Amino acid sequence: MKKEITFTLNKEKTIMEVDPQWTLLHLLREVLEMTGTKEGCGYGECGACTVIIDGEAVNSCLYPVMEVEGRSVMTIEGVALKDGSLDPIQQAFVDEGAVQCGFCIPGMIMSSKALLDKKDKPTEEEIKESIEGNLCRCTGYVKIVDAIKSVAGGR
Amino acid sequence: MGDLKVIGKRIPKKDAPLKTTGAAVYIQDMKVPGMLYGRILYSKYPHAKIVKIDTSKAEALPGVKVVLTGADVPNNFKFGFIKDNPPLKTGKVLSTRDEVAAVAAISPEIAEEALDLINIEYEELPGIFDPLEAMKEGAAMVHEEFKSNVLKMPWKFVAGDVEAAKKASAFIAEDTFSTQWVTHCCLGTSGCIASLDINNNLTMYSNTQIPSLAQNDFLEALKVFGFKNKRVRVIQCVIGGGFGSKLDTYAYEYIAILLALKARKPVKIVFSREDEFLATSPRQCTITKISQGCDKDGRLTFREMEMILDNGAYTSWGATTPSVMMVPISSLYKVPNIFYRAKCVYTNNTYSQAFRGYGNPQATFAIESNLDQLAEKAGIDPLEIRRINANEPGEVTPQNFKITSCGMKECIDEVVNRLDWKNKSGKHNGRGVGMASLIHVGGAARVYKSDGCGTIIKVDDNGKVDVITGSSEIGQGSETIISQIVAEVLGMSIDDINVINNDTDVCPWDVGAHASRTTFVAGNSALGAAQKIKTQIMEIAAKNLGESPEALEMKDGIIFSVKDKEKNISLGKVLRKVHYTLGGRMLVAEHFYDPPNENFDQNFKGNLSVAYAYGAHGVEVEVDKETGQVKILNYIAAHDVGKALNPMLLEGQIYGGGLMGIGYALGEKMIWDKGYLKNGTFLDYKMPTVQDAPPVQAVIVETDEQAGPFGAKGIGEPGLVPTAPAIANAIYDAVGVRIKDLPITPEKVLAALKEKEKGNP
Amino acid sequence: MKGYEYHKPSTVKEAIDLMGSLENAKFIAGGTDVMVLIRQKKLSPAHLISLRNISDLSFMETANGFFIGGGVTHSEIVGNEFIQKHYSALSDAAGNIGSKQIRNVATLCGNICNAAPSADSACPLLVLDAKVLIAGPDKEREIALDDFFLGPNRTALEKGEMVKGFHMPPFNENTGSTYIKHTRRAAMDLPILGIAARVTIKIGGSQIGCKDAFCTIDTISNILKHLEGEDLVCEDVRIAMGVVSPKPIRAKKAEAALLGKVVSEKLFEEIAEIAASEAQPRDSIRGEAWYRRDMIKVLTKRALLKSIDRVIRPDDLIHPDRLW
């Protein structure tokens, strides 16, 4: 039986009819067709589906859609500015060569953005901690960490 | 080469903005109107007779459109390297990844539910899971129709006289090494959408690394299915990682086609992560017996290797990896006498495929570990034995590889200096250093009849350039590199260059993204096309400006006289001049580059690649003697890349390959227990996280390869080739135990330390 | 598709009433285990009762020791300096569970109520003498955590009951505690073995308590050598082990053998041997039994040393070593 939920999605008030057994990821990808958020495993083990809820990075594949009620969700689609210009963290990923196949990147950006929104100048340890749940097979993580550092230093 | 404007610069990947905003469309994200969702049911047992399949309940489930079993596969169709693999199995299953039934339904959830409703009665049979068992006299046959479990493949290479060289050697080291099953772990899982038009022409949305060959495979399949003279179009979505996993066509693709044919609707099959672990084809496990010898001065006298490869139940490109294993076996260091033989053995395990390095990591693990053993016997510093025997430019190796550029010694020196080798090696105090070198194909690899790639360049009315290439972007950055090459030739900004690389209806032929060949081959192809279009542009501009073409230059979309810059014309104008005129023409150029390399002859001799990539890795480790844990303190990866066309992207390949190699060395292993995969999750398959990534220095050594585009050689695979032996050698230097079986787990290190304490070698 | 109803009570009583009235209902907190089990079809509840919106579960307070509500997340635990300082072992564990994303939603009660032998927070709570506050349809009760675990995925919770929180007693200032999680990977991993220790030492000599005295000494082993003859006596001790038996257990014989003794590294080695003898580790894909047993010896010693280190050099923030 469908339920109505109201929440904020990328700064916009959103009202949706949802099935209680959906995950937030299902709502985003399959219903809203916001496919920037990826599913890499479905078990919270890879971080590709990371979104920010009320300021915290979470795995949307494990997040019951009913819990979204009243909360504020930010997805990768909400990170860049409306005019298409990139957020500094996105720009840093581009400029530092942190992107290869790119499948992990939306999750990486959401995880690091959750950190950077809280801390202007995080330590390297905090940077690594913020993305330790985001698997990447292409980059060896080096340039991803560099990209986050470059924003952390430049803010 | 003059003053380079775009080549050699740290230019961001062209597709990075798309990927950082979530706008890139992967197969997972793709929808086609009216499409159904396919799911595959895999075998419950590694080896069993299929007694009965009852699909009636699944068919009755509302929303289910098609249910297929092996009986529905027309004309006994089989696919794979030697066509031994039916997309849906009948009669018998040979592994737990065997496809036994498939469903297409209106939602993924219904398709999934339908799988649970398919009843299959099996009669379990004993399986063979160890290649050594499978090779024994009287062993049961995995494929009854073949007379042997050993594949009929000619993997043998002989040069010189190993037996005589053994007798003449001052020192010989002999040992056995083994490696494990590891899998690609592409973050984006496998998937496709098969869509047929009313005339049964197929459009396949795919994330293949080999669009041209896949097109051919699907054409052949359609033919067997009874549809002759059809067209196949392969469209690649953005690819979420390749690493060799998408170098073949797979059962799921043929199943999608069969489901689509029956449903008369497009069918999408995308793997779950469980499917991806179970049903993609990993790097096979190997057992290698090796011995190498040297004279009293440390010069290598011979190398003898016998390898056994677990092929698994069916045959894909995994069975051909010995052809690339031969590269280091015959040609890593100067070794005059070589004996090599490999056997690929059928078992009831998963079947193996290509994986970055294509057999080279397994071979190099044995060679470079054993070389340290030999150095110790000979009383020579492991560094010195490598220097003494290092490859050099101008060399012709026993396999007839013609070595052109070679920076192996420079790479070794980089490692030595950056690790502070002299002060750190030989201390045996819990910390140690180790190194290993590599050779790999760096100028393509002629494994098919053609090793070529085509490029078409057209200039549009506004002076922008479309580059239509056969090569595939799988994350490595080929789109950007090709743009840079064309931009450099034409004196343009890479933003004005648009690369089209994902549609076989449009793109020229290419053999695929493999063998570290794309920069070299597709780059040379793009270079040739760019030069041709430049000639045309200059000729037309010359006419318009009343100059000779030689007197002109092109920069930022303007063609001007070198002597008088006021005499100029924009590229767009040149084009409009040829378009908007009576008897007009297009401004288009094409170039097909097929490198002048050779197929192996029947003795496996031939210059496989136009150029060879070299490198050396060095590592400093600390071993916790109480827990057996190995910590990497410093990692140097030095690579001879010819010329770095884009150092930033190139470092990305080295870092990524390096960590993949570190995972291979220290943690990753698919645990197949009697045919069942026990750790098919990211939780239990220990792919490295960011917290596992040690400090790595990527060192670029440039040697200017004459045959390469602007001097470049390939770098896609080398990053993980020497990683495991470098680490194994460092562990030996640290604590005096040699781990010969990958991965080097804390258990193995600790057990070896205990044995050593007891006085056992 | 059979779905489930999703309920979001806002009080503990409401949650318990729902559990009492609904068939095939399951509590869900952070959901990082429940959602996985549902996806794996290992669990197919008709109702999920969410504990995420109950404010009574999501607070922490200092109250004759420290109370942690069942709905407190691991991230909240890691971020709490009081816990870091006085209940370090729990901080150690919470900081290394899963990933940042997991810790942001996964709760302490979820980790404990799963009763997995590998539950990271179990060992720390055991050595910190935690009591489990249980709310039921009729009454609340409090039991020792040691009595809470019955076996793999089995707890002392009765039908309709839920965990409200955990209470840990205060410990005197000469107490240090540690949890060491032994893993293959440095993040996103379950332990091959988990060892927690808490030690309270009685301090005789004058040097101790002045960490400056030890600032030039690198390791705790060397400090202990330096302090030989100072009669550092173990006044109280707990040792707990995870993944070595069907449930997280205390190494009670080892504790008894250490109590009242003058501590030394050598003694810790003997204690660790005893601890290993109390375990029944098994072979699994995650680790071999012999290795687990060996590691009990190594890590028990290290956990004891680290705990004492935290008494002697309390200002040093200690992070578990990240190794392969």
Side-chain angles (χ1 to χ4, degrees), chain B residues 313-344:
Chain B
Y314 302 98
T315 306
S316 178
W317 295 106
T320 71
T321 53
S323 65
V324 175
M325 292 172 172
M326 280 181 201
V327 173
I329 289 167
S330 72
S331 305
L332 179 62
Y333 307 113
K334 292 177 195 157
V335 194
N337 302 290
I338 306 281
F339 179 90
Y340 170 60
R341 185 163 53 193
K343 288 179 177 158
C344 304

Coordinates of all heavy atoms in Angstrom, one line a residue, chain B residues 313-344:
Chain B
A313 N 35.4 -24.4 -16.3 CA 34.5 -25.3 -17.0 C 34.4 -25.0 -18.5 O 34.0 -25.9 -19.2 CB 33.2 -25.4 -16.3
Y314 N 34.6 -23.8 -18.8 CA 34.5 -23.4 -20.3 C 35.7 -22.6 -20.7 O 36.5 -22.2 -19.8 CB 33.2 -22.6 -20.5 CG 32.0 -23.4 -20.0 CD1 31.4 -23.2 -18.8 CD2 31.4 -24.4 -20.9 CE1 30.3 -24.0 -18.3 CE2 30.3 -25.2 -20.4 CZ 29.8 -24.9 -19.2 OH 28.7 -25.7 -18.8
T315 N 35.7 -22.3 -22.0 CA 36.9 -21.6 -22.5 C 36.7 -20.2 -23.0 O 35.9 -20.1 -23.9 CB 37.6 -22.5 -23.6 OG1 37.8 -23.8 -23.0 CG2 38.9 -21.9 -24.0
S316 N 37.3 -19.3 -22.4 CA 37.3 -17.9 -22.9 C 38.8 -17.5 -23.1 O 39.7 -18.4 -23.2 CB 36.6 -17.0 -21.8 OG 36.6 -15.7 -22.3
W317 N 39.0 -16.3 -23.1 CA 40.4 -15.8 -23.4 C 41.4 -16.2 -22.3 O 42.6 -16.1 -22.5 CB 40.4 -14.3 -23.6 CG 39.7 -13.9 -24.8 CD1 38.5 -13.3 -24.9 CD2 40.1 -14.1 -26.2 NE1 38.1 -13.2 -26.2 CE2 39.0 -13.6 -27.0 CE3 41.2 -14.7 -26.7 CZ2 39.1 -13.7 -28.4 CZ3 41.3 -14.7 -28.1 CH2 40.2 -14.2 -28.9
G318 N 40.9 -16.6 -21.1 CA 41.8 -17.0 -20.1 C 42.8 -18.1 -20.6 O 43.9 -18.2 -20.2
A319 N 42.3 -18.9 -21.5 CA 43.1 -20.1 -22.0 C 44.2 -19.6 -22.9 O 45.1 -20.4 -23.2 CB 42.2 -21.1 -22.7
T320 N 44.1 -18.3 -23.3 CA 45.2 -17.8 -24.2 C 46.2 -16.9 -23.4 O 47.1 -16.4 -24.1 CB 44.6 -17.0 -25.3 OG1 44.1 -15.8 -24.8 CG2 43.5 -17.7 -26.0
T321 N 46.0 -16.8 -22.1 CA 47.0 -15.9 -21.4 C 48.4 -16.5 -21.5 O 49.3 -15.7 -21.3 CB 46.5 -15.7 -19.9 OG1 46.3 -17.0 -19.3 CG2 45.3 -14.9 -19.8
P322 N 48.6 -17.8 -21.7 CA 50.0 -18.2 -21.8 C 50.8 -17.5 -22.9 O 52.0 -17.3 -22.8 CB 49.9 -19.7 -22.1 CG 48.7 -20.1 -21.3 CD 47.7 -19.0 -21.6
S323 N 50.0 -17.0 -23.9 CA 50.7 -16.3 -25.0 C 51.4 -15.0 -24.5 O 52.4 -14.6 -25.0 CB 49.8 -16.0 -26.1 OG 48.8 -15.1 -25.7
V324 N 50.8 -14.4 -23.5 CA 51.4 -13.2 -22.9 C 52.3 -13.5 -21.8 O 53.2 -12.8 -21.5 CB 50.3 -12.2 -22.5 CG1 50.8 -10.9 -21.8 CG2 49.5 -11.7 -23.8
M325 N 52.0 -14.6 -21.1 CA 53.0 -15.1 -20.1 C 54.3 -15.2 -20.7 O 55.4 -15.0 -20.1 CB 52.5 -16.4 -19.4 CG 51.2 -16.2 -18.6 SD 50.6 -17.9 -18.1 CE 49.3 -17.4 -17.0
M326 N 54.3 -15.7 -22.0 CA 55.6 -15.9 -22.7 C 56.4 -14.6 -22.8 O 57.6 -14.7 -22.9 CB 55.3 -16.4 -24.1 CG 55.0 -17.8 -24.2 SD 54.8 -18.3 -25.9 CE 53.8 -19.8 -25.7
V327 N 55.7 -13.5 -22.8 CA 56.5 -12.2 -22.9 C 57.5 -12.1 -21.8 O 58.7 -12.0 -22.2 CB 55.5 -11.0 -23.0 CG1 56.3 -9.7 -23.0 CG2 54.6 -11.1 -24.2
P328 N 57.2 -12.1 -20.6 CA 58.2 -12.0 -19.6 C 59.1 -13.3 -19.5 O 60.3 -13.2 -19.2 CB 57.5 -11.8 -18.2 CG 56.1 -12.4 -18.5 CD 55.8 -12.1 -19.9
I329 N 58.5 -14.4 -19.8 CA 59.2 -15.7 -19.6 C 60.4 -15.7 -20.7 O 61.5 -16.1 -20.3 CB 58.3 -16.9 -19.8 CG1 57.4 -17.0 -18.6 CG2 59.1 -18.2 -20.0 CD1 56.2 -17.9 -18.7
S330 N 60.1 -15.2 -21.9 CA 61.2 -15.3 -22.9 C 62.1 -14.0 -22.8 O 63.2 -14.1 -23.2 CB 60.6 -15.3 -24.3 OG 60.0 -14.1 -24.6
S331 N 61.5 -12.9 -22.3 CA 62.2 -11.7 -22.6 C 62.4 -10.7 -21.4 O 62.9 -9.6 -21.6 CB 61.4 -10.9 -23.7 OG 61.3 -11.7 -24.8
L332 N 62.0 -11.1 -20.2 CA 62.3 -10.2 -19.1 C 63.7 -10.5 -18.7 O 64.0 -11.7 -18.3 CB 61.3 -10.5 -17.9 CG 61.6 -9.7 -16.7 CD1 61.4 -8.2 -16.9 CD2 60.6 -10.1 -15.5
Y333 N 64.6 -9.6 -18.8 CA 66.0 -9.7 -18.7 C 66.5 -10.5 -19.9 O 65.8 -11.1 -20.6 CB 66.4 -10.4 -17.4 CG 65.9 -9.7 -16.1 CD1 64.9 -10.3 -15.3 CD2 66.2 -8.4 -15.8 CE1 64.4 -9.7 -14.2 CE2 65.7 -7.7 -14.7 CZ 64.8 -8.4 -13.9 OH 64.2 -7.8 -12.9
K334 N 67.9 -10.5 -20.0 CA 68.5 -11.2 -21.1 C 68.7 -12.6 -20.7 O 69.6 -12.9 -19.8 CB 69.8 -10.6 -21.5 CG 69.7 -9.2 -22.1 CD 71.0 -8.6 -22.3 CE 70.9 -7.1 -22.6 NZ 72.2 -6.4 -22.3
V335 N 68.0 -13.5 -21.3 CA 68.1 -15.0 -20.9 C 68.3 -15.7 -22.2 O 67.3 -15.8 -23.0 CB 66.9 -15.5 -20.1 CG1 67.2 -16.8 -19.5 CG2 66.4 -14.5 -19.1
P336 N 69.4 -16.4 -22.5 CA 69.6 -17.0 -23.8 C 68.8 -18.3 -24.0 O 68.5 -18.6 -25.1 CB 71.1 -17.2 -23.8 CG 71.6 -17.2 -22.4 CD 70.6 -16.3 -21.6
N337 N 68.6 -19.0 -22.9 CA 68.0 -20.4 -23.1 C 66.7 -20.4 -22.3 O 66.7 -20.1 -21.1 CB 69.0 -21.4 -22.6 CG 70.3 -21.4 -23.3 OD1 70.4 -21.7 -24.5 ND2 71.3 -20.9 -22.6
I338 N 65.7 -20.8 -23.0 CA 64.3 -20.8 -22.4 C 63.6 -22.1 -22.7 O 63.6 -22.6 -23.8 CB 63.5 -19.6 -23.0 CG1 64.2 -18.3 -23.0 CG2 62.1 -19.6 -22.4 CD1 64.1 -17.6 -21.6
F339 N 62.9 -22.6 -21.7 CA 62.0 -23.6 -21.9 C 60.7 -23.2 -21.2 O 60.7 -22.9 -20.0 CB 62.4 -25.0 -21.4 CG 61.4 -26.1 -21.6 CD1 61.4 -26.8 -22.8 CD2 60.4 -26.3 -20.7 CE1 60.4 -27.8 -23.0 CE2 59.5 -27.3 -20.9 CZ 59.4 -28.0 -22.1
Y340 N 59.6 -23.2 -21.9 CA 58.3 -22.9 -21.2 C 57.2 -23.8 -21.8 O 57.1 -24.0 -23.0 CB 57.9 -21.4 -21.5 CG 56.5 -21.1 -21.1 CD1 56.1 -21.2 -19.7 CD2 55.6 -20.6 -22.0 CE1 54.8 -20.8 -19.4 CE2 54.3 -20.2 -21.6 CZ 53.9 -20.4 -20.3 OH 52.7 -20.0 -19.9
R341 N 56.4 -24.3 -20.9 CA 55.2 -25.0 -21.3 C 54.1 -24.7 -20.3 O 54.3 -24.6 -19.1 CB 55.5 -26.5 -21.3 CG 54.4 -27.4 -21.9 CD 54.8 -28.7 -22.2 NE 55.5 -29.4 -21.1 CZ 56.3 -30.5 -21.2 NH1 56.4 -31.1 -22.3 NH2 56.8 -31.0 -20.1
A342 N 52.9 -24.6 -20.9 CA 51.7 -24.3 -20.0 C 50.6 -25.2 -20.4 O 50.4 -25.5 -21.6 CB 51.3 -22.9 -20.1
K343 N 49.9 -25.6 -19.4 CA 48.7 -26.5 -19.7 C 47.5 -25.8 -19.0 O 47.5 -25.5 -17.8 CB 48.9 -27.9 -19.1 CG 49.9 -28.7 -19.8 CD 50.1 -30.1 -19.3 CE 51.1 -30.8 -20.1 NZ 51.7 -31.9 -19.4
C344 N 46.4 -25.7 -19.8 CA 45.2 -25.2 -19.3 C 44.3 -26.4 -19.1 O 44.1 -27.2 -20.0 CB 44.5 -24.2 -20.3 SG 45.6 -22.9 -20.8

